mmCIF file of all heavy atoms in Angstrom:
data_model
loop_
_atom_site.group_PDB
_atom_site.id
_atom_site.type_symbol
_atom_site.label_atom_id
_atom_site.label_comp_id
_atom_site.label_asym_id
_atom_site.label_seq_id
_atom_site.Cartn_x
_atom_site.Cartn_y
_atom_site.Cartn_z
ATOM 1 N N ASP A 273 2.876 -25.331 30.440
ATOM 2 C CA ASP A 273 3.701 -25.123 31.610
ATOM 3 C C ASP A 273 2.833 -24.862 32.954
ATOM 4 O O ASP A 273 2.051 -23.976 32.949
ATOM 5 C CB ASP A 273 4.526 -23.823 31.267
ATOM 6 C CG ASP A 273 5.541 -23.564 32.406
ATOM 7 O OD1 ASP A 273 5.145 -23.488 33.641
ATOM 8 O OD2 ASP A 273 6.742 -23.328 32.030
ATOM 9 N N TRP A 274 3.085 -25.721 33.960
ATOM 10 C CA TRP A 274 2.297 -25.641 35.066
ATOM 11 C C TRP A 274 2.373 -24.283 35.847
ATOM 12 O O TRP A 274 1.512 -23.755 36.398
ATOM 13 C CB TRP A 274 2.587 -26.876 35.897
ATOM 14 C CG TRP A 274 1.712 -26.882 37.233
ATOM 15 C CD1 TRP A 274 2.116 -26.504 38.472
ATOM 16 C CD2 TRP A 274 0.347 -27.194 37.387
ATOM 17 N NE1 TRP A 274 1.068 -26.486 39.363
ATOM 18 C CE2 TRP A 274 -0.037 -26.971 38.715
ATOM 19 C CE3 TRP A 274 -0.636 -27.618 36.561
ATOM 20 C CZ2 TRP A 274 -1.335 -27.132 39.215
ATOM 21 C CZ3 TRP A 274 -1.937 -27.838 37.041
ATOM 22 C CH2 TRP A 274 -2.287 -27.592 38.302
ATOM 23 N N SER A 275 3.636 -23.946 36.059
ATOM 24 C CA SER A 275 3.890 -22.693 36.776
ATOM 25 C C SER A 275 3.232 -21.420 36.138
ATOM 26 O O SER A 275 2.764 -20.603 36.803
ATOM 27 C CB SER A 275 5.344 -22.503 37.028
ATOM 28 O OG SER A 275 6.011 -22.222 35.771
ATOM 29 N N ILE A 276 3.110 -21.528 34.938
ATOM 30 C CA ILE A 276 2.564 -20.393 34.162
ATOM 31 C C ILE A 276 0.967 -20.497 34.351
ATOM 32 O O ILE A 276 0.260 -19.573 34.566
ATOM 33 C CB ILE A 276 2.856 -20.254 32.675
ATOM 34 C CG1 ILE A 276 4.393 -20.088 32.444
ATOM 35 C CG2 ILE A 276 2.130 -19.290 31.855
ATOM 36 C CD1 ILE A 276 4.893 -18.756 32.898
ATOM 37 N N PHE A 277 0.430 -21.727 34.226
ATOM 38 C CA PHE A 277 -0.912 -21.959 34.475
ATOM 39 C C PHE A 277 -1.325 -21.462 35.870
ATOM 40 O O PHE A 277 -2.333 -20.817 36.030
ATOM 41 C CB PHE A 277 -1.165 -23.491 34.382
ATOM 42 C CG PHE A 277 -2.488 -23.781 35.002
ATOM 43 C CD1 PHE A 277 -3.760 -23.686 34.353
ATOM 44 C CD2 PHE A 277 -2.571 -24.383 36.279
ATOM 45 C CE1 PHE A 277 -4.976 -23.918 35.009
ATOM 46 C CE2 PHE A 277 -3.791 -24.736 36.983
ATOM 47 C CZ PHE A 277 -4.988 -24.426 36.266
ATOM 48 N N LYS A 278 -0.566 -21.881 36.810
ATOM 49 C CA LYS A 278 -0.858 -21.476 38.248
ATOM 50 C C LYS A 278 -0.930 -20.062 38.393
ATOM 51 O O LYS A 278 -1.819 -19.425 39.034
ATOM 52 C CB LYS A 278 0.312 -22.163 39.041
ATOM 53 C CG LYS A 278 0.006 -22.336 40.535
ATOM 54 C CD LYS A 278 1.063 -23.264 41.093
ATOM 55 C CE LYS A 278 1.121 -23.006 42.653
ATOM 56 N NZ LYS A 278 1.970 -21.876 43.034
ATOM 57 N N ALA A 279 0.150 -19.378 37.888
ATOM 58 C CA ALA A 279 0.256 -17.941 38.063
ATOM 59 C C ALA A 279 -0.926 -17.224 37.401
ATOM 60 O O ALA A 279 -1.442 -16.343 37.960
ATOM 61 C CB ALA A 279 1.668 -17.403 37.646
ATOM 62 N N TYR A 280 -1.165 -17.604 36.187
ATOM 63 C CA TYR A 280 -2.280 -16.901 35.458
ATOM 64 C C TYR A 280 -3.577 -17.113 36.127
ATOM 65 O O TYR A 280 -4.223 -16.089 36.310
ATOM 66 C CB TYR A 280 -2.354 -17.525 33.912
ATOM 67 C CG TYR A 280 -3.342 -16.726 33.236
ATOM 68 C CD1 TYR A 280 -2.939 -15.507 32.500
ATOM 69 C CD2 TYR A 280 -4.825 -17.051 33.228
ATOM 70 C CE1 TYR A 280 -3.983 -14.782 31.849
ATOM 71 C CE2 TYR A 280 -5.669 -16.284 32.527
ATOM 72 C CZ TYR A 280 -5.311 -15.147 31.895
ATOM 73 O OH TYR A 280 -6.242 -14.263 31.269
ATOM 74 N N THR A 281 -3.856 -18.292 36.642
ATOM 75 C CA THR A 281 -5.018 -18.585 37.408
ATOM 76 C C THR A 281 -5.176 -17.801 38.700
ATOM 77 O O THR A 281 -6.217 -17.268 39.022
ATOM 78 C CB THR A 281 -5.157 -20.144 37.572
ATOM 79 O OG1 THR A 281 -5.029 -20.778 36.375
ATOM 80 C CG2 THR A 281 -6.453 -20.544 38.304
ATOM 81 N N GLU A 282 -4.130 -17.668 39.334
ATOM 82 C CA GLU A 282 -4.096 -16.862 40.626
ATOM 83 C C GLU A 282 -4.414 -15.416 40.350
ATOM 84 O O GLU A 282 -5.227 -14.748 41.017
ATOM 85 C CB GLU A 282 -2.763 -16.917 41.329
ATOM 86 C CG GLU A 282 -2.473 -18.275 42.103
ATOM 87 C CD GLU A 282 -1.140 -18.615 42.539
ATOM 88 O OE1 GLU A 282 -0.197 -17.892 42.067
ATOM 89 O OE2 GLU A 282 -0.841 -19.439 43.353
ATOM 90 N N GLY A 283 -3.722 -14.940 39.224
ATOM 91 C CA GLY A 283 -4.012 -13.512 38.847
ATOM 92 C C GLY A 283 -5.403 -13.314 38.460
ATOM 93 O O GLY A 283 -6.123 -12.340 38.844
ATOM 94 N N TYR A 284 -5.880 -14.187 37.549
ATOM 95 C CA TYR A 284 -7.264 -14.071 37.071
ATOM 96 C C TYR A 284 -8.268 -14.177 38.182
ATOM 97 O O TYR A 284 -9.229 -13.270 38.251
ATOM 98 C CB TYR A 284 -7.515 -15.204 35.966
ATOM 99 C CG TYR A 284 -8.871 -15.134 35.498
ATOM 100 C CD1 TYR A 284 -9.239 -14.291 34.520
ATOM 101 C CD2 TYR A 284 -9.769 -16.109 35.933
ATOM 102 C CE1 TYR A 284 -10.551 -14.193 34.002
ATOM 103 C CE2 TYR A 284 -11.066 -16.141 35.379
ATOM 104 C CZ TYR A 284 -11.481 -15.199 34.430
ATOM 105 O OH TYR A 284 -12.752 -15.133 33.973
ATOM 106 N N LEU A 285 -8.174 -15.218 39.055
ATOM 107 C CA LEU A 285 -9.274 -15.297 40.238
ATOM 108 C C LEU A 285 -9.139 -14.137 41.173
ATOM 109 O O LEU A 285 -10.059 -14.001 41.773
ATOM 110 C CB LEU A 285 -9.135 -16.763 40.704
ATOM 111 C CG LEU A 285 -9.595 -17.727 39.889
ATOM 112 C CD1 LEU A 285 -9.328 -19.141 40.419
ATOM 113 C CD2 LEU A 285 -11.089 -17.738 39.635
ATOM 114 N N SER A 286 -7.963 -13.616 41.345
ATOM 115 C CA SER A 286 -7.881 -12.464 42.271
ATOM 116 C C SER A 286 -8.907 -11.420 41.964
ATOM 117 O O SER A 286 -9.333 -10.646 42.750
ATOM 118 C CB SER A 286 -6.420 -11.978 42.416
ATOM 119 O OG SER A 286 -6.111 -11.121 41.253
ATOM 120 N N GLU A 287 -9.225 -11.297 40.731
ATOM 121 C CA GLU A 287 -10.068 -10.144 40.313
ATOM 122 C C GLU A 287 -11.475 -10.782 39.997
ATOM 123 O O GLU A 287 -12.518 -9.977 39.918
ATOM 124 C CB GLU A 287 -9.628 -9.622 38.902
ATOM 125 C CG GLU A 287 -8.469 -8.658 39.039
ATOM 126 C CD GLU A 287 -8.708 -7.353 39.691
ATOM 127 O OE1 GLU A 287 -9.971 -6.970 39.608
ATOM 128 O OE2 GLU A 287 -7.961 -6.720 40.239
ATOM 129 N N THR A 288 -11.687 -12.076 39.787
ATOM 130 C CA THR A 288 -12.984 -12.576 39.266
ATOM 131 C C THR A 288 -13.777 -13.495 40.241
ATOM 132 O O THR A 288 -14.952 -13.705 39.943
ATOM 133 C CB THR A 288 -12.810 -13.276 37.999
ATOM 134 O OG1 THR A 288 -11.888 -14.366 38.210
ATOM 135 C CG2 THR A 288 -12.253 -12.429 36.888
ATOM 136 N N LYS A 289 -13.100 -14.019 41.103
ATOM 137 C CA LYS A 289 -13.708 -15.002 41.990
ATOM 138 C C LYS A 289 -14.948 -14.455 42.787
ATOM 139 O O LYS A 289 -15.943 -15.168 43.033
ATOM 140 C CB LYS A 289 -12.862 -15.811 42.873
ATOM 141 C CG LYS A 289 -12.448 -15.126 44.169
ATOM 142 C CD LYS A 289 -11.628 -16.231 45.007
ATOM 143 C CE LYS A 289 -11.168 -15.448 46.290
ATOM 144 N NZ LYS A 289 -10.324 -16.428 47.068
ATOM 145 N N ALA A 290 -14.949 -13.234 42.967
ATOM 146 C CA ALA A 290 -16.102 -12.659 43.768
ATOM 147 C C ALA A 290 -17.389 -12.580 42.772
ATOM 148 O O ALA A 290 -18.472 -12.660 43.480
ATOM 149 C CB ALA A 290 -15.737 -11.243 44.272
ATOM 150 N N PHE A 291 -17.284 -12.576 41.531
ATOM 151 C CA PHE A 291 -18.559 -12.544 40.777
ATOM 152 C C PHE A 291 -18.831 -13.731 39.921
ATOM 153 O O PHE A 291 -19.898 -13.985 39.368
ATOM 154 C CB PHE A 291 -18.628 -11.264 39.884
ATOM 155 C CG PHE A 291 -17.625 -11.161 38.722
ATOM 156 C CD1 PHE A 291 -18.040 -11.747 37.492
ATOM 157 C CD2 PHE A 291 -16.285 -10.565 38.791
ATOM 158 C CE1 PHE A 291 -17.211 -11.697 36.434
ATOM 159 C CE2 PHE A 291 -15.525 -10.586 37.765
ATOM 160 C CZ PHE A 291 -15.924 -11.226 36.520
ATOM 161 N N LEU A 292 -17.793 -14.697 39.771
ATOM 162 C CA LEU A 292 -18.073 -15.878 39.064
ATOM 163 C C LEU A 292 -18.996 -16.888 39.803
ATOM 164 O O LEU A 292 -18.929 -16.955 41.120
ATOM 165 C CB LEU A 292 -16.743 -16.604 38.738
ATOM 166 C CG LEU A 292 -15.843 -15.884 37.750
ATOM 167 C CD1 LEU A 292 -14.574 -16.806 37.458
ATOM 168 C CD2 LEU A 292 -16.411 -15.541 36.380
ATOM 169 N N THR A 293 -19.892 -17.533 39.116
ATOM 170 C CA THR A 293 -20.863 -18.395 39.783
ATOM 171 C C THR A 293 -20.118 -19.794 39.971
ATOM 172 O O THR A 293 -19.080 -20.079 39.277
ATOM 173 C CB THR A 293 -22.049 -18.755 38.852
ATOM 174 O OG1 THR A 293 -21.683 -19.412 37.731
ATOM 175 C CG2 THR A 293 -22.836 -17.365 38.445
ATOM 176 N N PRO A 294 -20.676 -20.566 40.845
ATOM 177 C CA PRO A 294 -20.021 -21.984 41.023
ATOM 178 C C PRO A 294 -19.941 -22.795 39.770
ATOM 179 O O PRO A 294 -18.808 -23.444 39.664
ATOM 180 C CB PRO A 294 -21.100 -22.642 41.938
ATOM 181 C CG PRO A 294 -21.717 -21.512 42.758
ATOM 182 C CD PRO A 294 -21.817 -20.425 41.778
ATOM 183 N N SER A 295 -20.839 -22.643 38.939
ATOM 184 C CA SER A 295 -20.747 -23.475 37.630
ATOM 185 C C SER A 295 -19.581 -22.900 36.851
ATOM 186 O O SER A 295 -18.855 -23.712 36.118
ATOM 187 C CB SER A 295 -22.012 -23.399 36.714
ATOM 188 O OG SER A 295 -23.092 -23.659 37.530
ATOM 189 N N GLU A 296 -19.451 -21.607 36.766
ATOM 190 C CA GLU A 296 -18.325 -21.107 36.079
ATOM 191 C C GLU A 296 -16.954 -21.537 36.617
ATOM 192 O O GLU A 296 -16.033 -21.882 35.860
ATOM 193 C CB GLU A 296 -18.304 -19.603 35.984
ATOM 194 C CG GLU A 296 -19.376 -18.927 35.069
ATOM 195 C CD GLU A 296 -19.624 -17.420 35.249
ATOM 196 O OE1 GLU A 296 -19.935 -17.024 36.346
ATOM 197 O OE2 GLU A 296 -19.512 -16.784 34.105
ATOM 198 N N LEU A 297 -16.971 -21.508 37.894
ATOM 199 C CA LEU A 297 -15.648 -21.966 38.540
ATOM 200 C C LEU A 297 -15.412 -23.471 38.381
ATOM 201 O O LEU A 297 -14.281 -23.914 37.934
ATOM 202 C CB LEU A 297 -15.647 -21.689 40.055
ATOM 203 C CG LEU A 297 -15.690 -20.156 40.376
ATOM 204 C CD1 LEU A 297 -16.081 -19.864 41.829
ATOM 205 C CD2 LEU A 297 -14.195 -19.588 40.138
ATOM 206 N N GLU A 298 -16.438 -24.206 38.351
ATOM 207 C CA GLU A 298 -16.351 -25.618 38.157
ATOM 208 C C GLU A 298 -15.779 -26.007 36.757
ATOM 209 O O GLU A 298 -15.053 -26.852 36.600
ATOM 210 C CB GLU A 298 -17.837 -26.195 38.409
ATOM 211 C CG GLU A 298 -17.995 -27.705 37.908
ATOM 212 C CD GLU A 298 -17.527 -28.631 38.895
ATOM 213 O OE1 GLU A 298 -17.395 -28.195 40.092
ATOM 214 O OE2 GLU A 298 -17.165 -29.722 38.537
ATOM 215 N N TRP A 299 -16.172 -25.095 35.816
ATOM 216 C CA TRP A 299 -15.891 -25.382 34.461
ATOM 217 C C TRP A 299 -14.703 -24.561 33.808
ATOM 218 O O TRP A 299 -14.353 -24.765 32.713
ATOM 219 C CB TRP A 299 -17.021 -25.361 33.464
ATOM 220 C CG TRP A 299 -17.969 -26.433 33.562
ATOM 221 C CD1 TRP A 299 -19.190 -26.490 34.502
ATOM 222 C CD2 TRP A 299 -17.979 -27.677 33.082
ATOM 223 N NE1 TRP A 299 -19.686 -27.723 34.447
ATOM 224 C CE2 TRP A 299 -18.987 -28.477 33.541
ATOM 225 C CE3 TRP A 299 -17.100 -28.272 32.033
ATOM 226 C CZ2 TRP A 299 -19.197 -29.899 33.075
ATOM 227 C CZ3 TRP A 299 -17.329 -29.636 31.751
ATOM 228 C CH2 TRP A 299 -18.393 -30.360 32.218
ATOM 229 N N LEU A 300 -14.206 -23.633 34.713
ATOM 230 C CA LEU A 300 -13.188 -22.826 34.299
ATOM 231 C C LEU A 300 -12.002 -23.483 33.587
ATOM 232 O O LEU A 300 -11.639 -23.203 32.480
ATOM 233 C CB LEU A 300 -12.739 -21.920 35.445
ATOM 234 C CG LEU A 300 -11.836 -20.692 34.995
ATOM 235 C CD1 LEU A 300 -12.827 -19.703 34.234
ATOM 236 C CD2 LEU A 300 -11.385 -19.915 36.261
ATOM 237 N N ALA A 301 -11.421 -24.502 34.313
ATOM 238 C CA ALA A 301 -10.165 -25.237 33.751
ATOM 239 C C ALA A 301 -10.565 -25.839 32.355
ATOM 240 O O ALA A 301 -9.801 -25.892 31.517
ATOM 241 C CB ALA A 301 -9.721 -26.299 34.633
ATOM 242 N N PHE A 302 -11.741 -26.261 32.224
ATOM 243 C CA PHE A 302 -12.299 -26.937 31.096
ATOM 244 C C PHE A 302 -12.121 -25.971 29.758
ATOM 245 O O PHE A 302 -11.912 -26.331 28.767
ATOM 246 C CB PHE A 302 -13.646 -27.575 31.043
ATOM 247 C CG PHE A 302 -13.937 -28.344 29.888
ATOM 248 C CD1 PHE A 302 -13.516 -29.723 29.765
ATOM 249 C CD2 PHE A 302 -14.764 -27.990 28.915
ATOM 250 C CE1 PHE A 302 -13.785 -30.481 28.719
ATOM 251 C CE2 PHE A 302 -15.074 -28.676 27.778
ATOM 252 C CZ PHE A 302 -14.611 -29.881 27.662
ATOM 253 N N GLY A 303 -12.234 -24.680 30.212
ATOM 254 C CA GLY A 303 -12.112 -23.531 29.202
ATOM 255 C C GLY A 303 -10.929 -23.632 28.442
ATOM 256 O O GLY A 303 -10.854 -23.412 27.142
ATOM 257 N N GLY A 304 -9.852 -23.979 29.053
ATOM 258 C CA GLY A 304 -8.526 -24.127 28.399
ATOM 259 C C GLY A 304 -8.532 -25.259 27.348
ATOM 260 O O GLY A 304 -8.045 -25.064 26.216
ATOM 261 N N LEU A 305 -9.152 -26.394 27.749
ATOM 262 C CA LEU A 305 -9.366 -27.574 26.821
ATOM 263 C C LEU A 305 -10.231 -27.134 25.661
ATOM 264 O O LEU A 305 -9.841 -27.444 24.490
ATOM 265 C CB LEU A 305 -9.752 -28.696 27.492
ATOM 266 C CG LEU A 305 -8.830 -29.682 28.229
ATOM 267 C CD1 LEU A 305 -8.054 -28.864 29.273
ATOM 268 C CD2 LEU A 305 -9.478 -30.834 28.868
ATOM 269 N N TYR A 306 -11.294 -26.437 25.929
ATOM 270 C CA TYR A 306 -12.263 -26.195 24.943
ATOM 271 C C TYR A 306 -11.755 -25.320 23.883
ATOM 272 O O TYR A 306 -11.892 -25.498 22.725
ATOM 273 C CB TYR A 306 -13.476 -25.495 25.730
ATOM 274 C CG TYR A 306 -14.608 -25.058 24.728
ATOM 275 C CD1 TYR A 306 -15.473 -25.962 24.233
ATOM 276 C CD2 TYR A 306 -14.666 -23.632 24.386
ATOM 277 C CE1 TYR A 306 -16.568 -25.585 23.396
ATOM 278 C CE2 TYR A 306 -15.635 -23.285 23.582
ATOM 279 C CZ TYR A 306 -16.657 -24.208 23.027
ATOM 280 O OH TYR A 306 -17.698 -23.820 22.205
ATOM 281 N N ILE A 307 -11.077 -24.137 24.300
ATOM 282 C CA ILE A 307 -10.539 -23.238 23.304
ATOM 283 C C ILE A 307 -9.363 -23.830 22.533
ATOM 284 O O ILE A 307 -9.219 -23.568 21.351
ATOM 285 C CB ILE A 307 -10.137 -21.898 24.028
ATOM 286 C CG1 ILE A 307 -11.436 -21.212 24.621
ATOM 287 C CG2 ILE A 307 -9.357 -21.015 23.175
ATOM 288 C CD1 ILE A 307 -12.270 -20.626 23.388
ATOM 289 N N THR A 308 -8.534 -24.546 23.192
ATOM 290 C CA THR A 308 -7.413 -25.082 22.544
ATOM 291 C C THR A 308 -7.890 -26.130 21.481
ATOM 292 O O THR A 308 -7.389 -26.200 20.347
ATOM 293 C CB THR A 308 -6.338 -25.815 23.481
ATOM 294 O OG1 THR A 308 -6.069 -24.799 24.492
ATOM 295 C CG2 THR A 308 -5.093 -26.241 22.729
ATOM 296 N N TYR A 309 -8.879 -26.972 21.927
ATOM 297 C CA TYR A 309 -9.526 -27.919 20.810
ATOM 298 C C TYR A 309 -10.112 -27.070 19.765
ATOM 299 O O TYR A 309 -9.857 -27.454 18.532
ATOM 300 C CB TYR A 309 -10.579 -28.684 21.627
ATOM 301 C CG TYR A 309 -11.481 -29.480 20.700
ATOM 302 C CD1 TYR A 309 -11.166 -30.732 20.323
ATOM 303 C CD2 TYR A 309 -12.676 -28.934 20.367
ATOM 304 C CE1 TYR A 309 -11.938 -31.509 19.582
ATOM 305 C CE2 TYR A 309 -13.536 -29.821 19.556
ATOM 306 C CZ TYR A 309 -13.104 -31.084 19.056
ATOM 307 O OH TYR A 309 -13.938 -31.770 18.318
ATOM 308 N N GLU A 310 -10.857 -26.037 20.077
ATOM 309 C CA GLU A 310 -11.568 -25.235 18.958
ATOM 310 C C GLU A 310 -10.391 -24.772 17.968
ATOM 311 O O GLU A 310 -10.586 -24.600 16.770
ATOM 312 C CB GLU A 310 -12.316 -24.127 19.570
ATOM 313 C CG GLU A 310 -13.110 -23.400 18.593
ATOM 314 C CD GLU A 310 -13.452 -22.040 19.066
ATOM 315 O OE1 GLU A 310 -12.605 -21.136 19.283
ATOM 316 O OE2 GLU A 310 -14.725 -21.760 19.181
ATOM 317 N N GLN A 311 -9.231 -24.282 18.533
ATOM 318 C CA GLN A 311 -8.176 -23.814 17.781
ATOM 319 C C GLN A 311 -7.729 -24.848 16.820
ATOM 320 O O GLN A 311 -7.328 -24.610 15.602
ATOM 321 C CB GLN A 311 -7.170 -23.029 18.643
ATOM 322 C CG GLN A 311 -6.192 -22.255 17.859
ATOM 323 C CD GLN A 311 -6.880 -21.031 17.237
ATOM 324 O OE1 GLN A 311 -7.401 -20.256 18.018
ATOM 325 N NE2 GLN A 311 -6.981 -20.857 15.962
ATOM 326 N N VAL A 312 -7.468 -26.018 17.231
ATOM 327 C CA VAL A 312 -6.979 -27.196 16.511
ATOM 328 C C VAL A 312 -8.013 -27.258 15.282
ATOM 329 O O VAL A 312 -7.594 -27.320 14.155
ATOM 330 C CB VAL A 312 -6.989 -28.479 17.257
ATOM 331 C CG1 VAL A 312 -6.580 -29.622 16.378
ATOM 332 C CG2 VAL A 312 -6.047 -28.407 18.445
ATOM 333 N N LEU A 313 -9.306 -27.359 15.693
ATOM 334 C CA LEU A 313 -10.345 -27.477 14.646
ATOM 335 C C LEU A 313 -10.311 -26.269 13.634
ATOM 336 O O LEU A 313 -10.376 -26.468 12.466
ATOM 337 C CB LEU A 313 -11.754 -27.485 15.394
ATOM 338 C CG LEU A 313 -12.931 -27.805 14.514
ATOM 339 C CD1 LEU A 313 -14.010 -28.314 15.371
ATOM 340 C CD2 LEU A 313 -13.538 -26.495 13.816
#
Side-chain angles (χ1 to χ4, degrees):
D273 184 310
W274 179 260
S275 63
I276 300 288
F277 160 80
K278 192 167 165 278
Y280 186 86
T281 303
E282 282 167 347
Y284 177 75
L285 284 176
S286 72
E287 286 284 339
T288 56
K289 76 173 183 186
F291 72 86
L292 294 182
T293 66
S295 312
E296 287 173 299
L297 291 163
E298 170 77 26
W299 286 93
L300 196 62
F302 190 79
L305 275 59
Y306 178 80
I307 290 292
T308 306
Y309 170 85
E310 186 200 66
Q311 195 65 62
V312 178
L313 184 156

